[in-house]
Amino acid sequence: MTAPLLLIPGPVQTDPRVKAAMAQDIAPWDNDTRPRYAALRERVRAIAGGIAGTHVCLPLQGCGHFIVEAALRSFVAPGTKVLIPSNGNYGVRMVRLAREAGRVPVVLEIPEGEAVPAALVAKALAEDPAIGVVSVVHSETATALVNPVEEIAAVVRAAGRRLIVDAVSGFGAIPFDLAAHPETDAVVFSSNKCLEAMPGIGFAVARIDRLEACAGNAGSWSFDLSDVYRHALSYGWGSIRFTPSIQALAAFEVALDLFDQEGGQPARLARYSENARVLWEGLTGLGLTPWLARERQGPIIVNMLQPPDPAWDLQRFVALLKRRGFLISNFSTTALPTFRVAAIGRVYPEDMKRAVAAIGETLAEMGVRRREAA
Ligand SMILES: *Cc1c(COP(=O)(O)O)cnc(C)c1O
């Protein structure tokens, strides 16, 4: 049986060339390896709109949660307040990461499925001068909603505070230009979402002045981005602190080549937007109810409310759909039960059309006739 196509928001479906790059043994400190990873950092900084001499790219072993925690620890001093707007699962997770790291999250609760209003961020900052940092999820993967980070950044800047952006699910597709954002300490993301590489590496693109000013904050050697920076200063930009996920880095290099060949961020956003459009319209056309209205639907993932028919069963649906060649999440990440189909990864609108057809066949096979959620 050939492997099903992954339609999940990470780890995503990858190109065979990306996978193939993993099949080798590599010494990270080898003199042939170092210049390649130094170059890779510059490419990543450029995608973030980072400025040489102002911003640096800091890779960290591990997953998205690790790099989000590293940014919170590195840029929020222990025991101090960080404002976290929360309108979905990843906002909730950020709050937990901050609290367990001994920071004081001030949670700005926004109903799920609604964007974070920048005016409420401004109000919260005006009311509490002790909040030094705002940390926000750009693309809320749980709900597919993209938060208005440009507007939020503007109010953070006007209030003289600092910003951290969790761009894990959108980086590489949804633009965020660090050059235009002096209030932003770091934008963080991972290798295995819109950059279409293997899991194993988190990245922060961060301000040098803030890394220097915040040295000593982290309270964790492993999660200290200032130390990652210092390591590069001491040992060179091709050197990576501790044992890196070196095969994942080799795959990442190939994934960046494919990213460039495709036309970079604008091309990727266009492809994912088209993928999401085909999914949203196709699944709505099957009689299913979308979780988000078309105008709120982001390009990363499409959530549909689970049908009210007694014949519906998520686990069975996922298993039967997998037999037709498509693997989706077997869990829901929204308050109301949904199923979700990702639009990201090495997948194209043609794949989305086939996925919609396969979902239609699967619903028919299960006998799910009542599809519209009340
Ligand atoms: C996926 C994701 C994370 C966490 O990534 P892991 O690799 O699963 O730890 C964090 N934030 C957002 C917005 C994400 O989509």
Side-chain angles (χ1 to χ4, degrees), residues 9 63-66 68 90 137 139 141 166 168-169 190 192-193:
C63 61
H65 286 84
F66 287 18
V68 174
Y90 282 104
V137 176
S139 163
T141 322
D166 169 358
V168 178
S169 76
S190 67
N192 60 291
K193 294 197 182 182

Side-chain angles (χ1 to χ4, degrees), residues 12-242:
V12 299
Q13 184 70 36
T14 59
D15 188 279
R17 288 164 286 184
V18 171
K19 288 185 263 283
M22 304 268 292
Q24 54 180 322
D25 299 304
I26 309 165
W29 40 260
D30 184 76
N31 285 335
D32 292 331
T33 309
R34 283 170 172 254
R36 289 169 50 194
Y37 296 116
L40 207 148
R41 290 194 198 229
E42 301 206 350
R43 293 171 78 182
V44 172
R45 180 180 59 206
I47 298 169
I51 303 164
T54 301
H55 300 100
V56 285
C57 168
L58 305 171
L60 187 75
Q61 297 84 342
C63 61
H65 286 84
F66 287 18
I67 194 71
V68 174
E69 172 165 353
L72 289 166
R73 284 182 172 273
S74 301
F75 298 109
V76 183
T80 66
K81 289 182 177 176
V82 50
L83 182 73
I84 302 179
S86 174
N87 58 348
N89 196 23
Y90 282 104
V92 172
R93 284 159 179 257
M94 191 188 272
V95 170
R96 177 169 175 179
L97 289 170
R99 182 173 295 126
E100 296 202 8
R103 278 60 177 170
V104 183
V106 178
V107 188
L108 184 61
E109 290 280 0
I110 308 296
E112 215 182 51
E114 283 180 28
V116 175
L120 285 188
V121 175
K123 185 165 171 282
L125 293 178
E127 283 170 3
D128 191 346
I131 297 170
V133 182
V134 177
S135 186
V136 69
V137 176
H138 193 178
S139 163
E140 177 44 87
T141 322
T143 63
L145 197 126
V146 179
N147 280 314
V149 166
E150 292 296 331
E151 293 165 32
I152 294 167
V155 307
V156 172
R157 187 159 64 242
R161 317 297 172 81
R162 309 299 311 163
L163 184 67
I164 295 169
V165 179
D166 169 358
V168 178
S169 76
F171 187 84
I174 303 175
F176 185 77
D177 181 14
L178 273 176
H181 287 286
E183 76 294 327
T184 301
D185 284 356
V187 53
V188 300
F189 47 94
S190 67
S191 48
N192 60 291
K193 294 197 182 182
C194 301
L195 295 173
E196 299 184 359
M198 292 294 168
I201 321 155
F203 291 95
V205 181
R207 285 188 72 90
I208 293 169
D209 56 358
R210 297 292 299 154
L211 288 161
E212 285 169 350
C214 294
N217 267 0
S220 158
W221 188 17
S222 297
F223 287 125
D224 185 354
L225 292 176
S226 294
D227 192 67
V228 178
Y229 169 62
R230 270 197 304 272
H231 176 94
L233 289 184
S234 304
Y235 299 97
W237 293 93
S239 172
I240 297 173
R241 202 186 58 152
F242 313 150

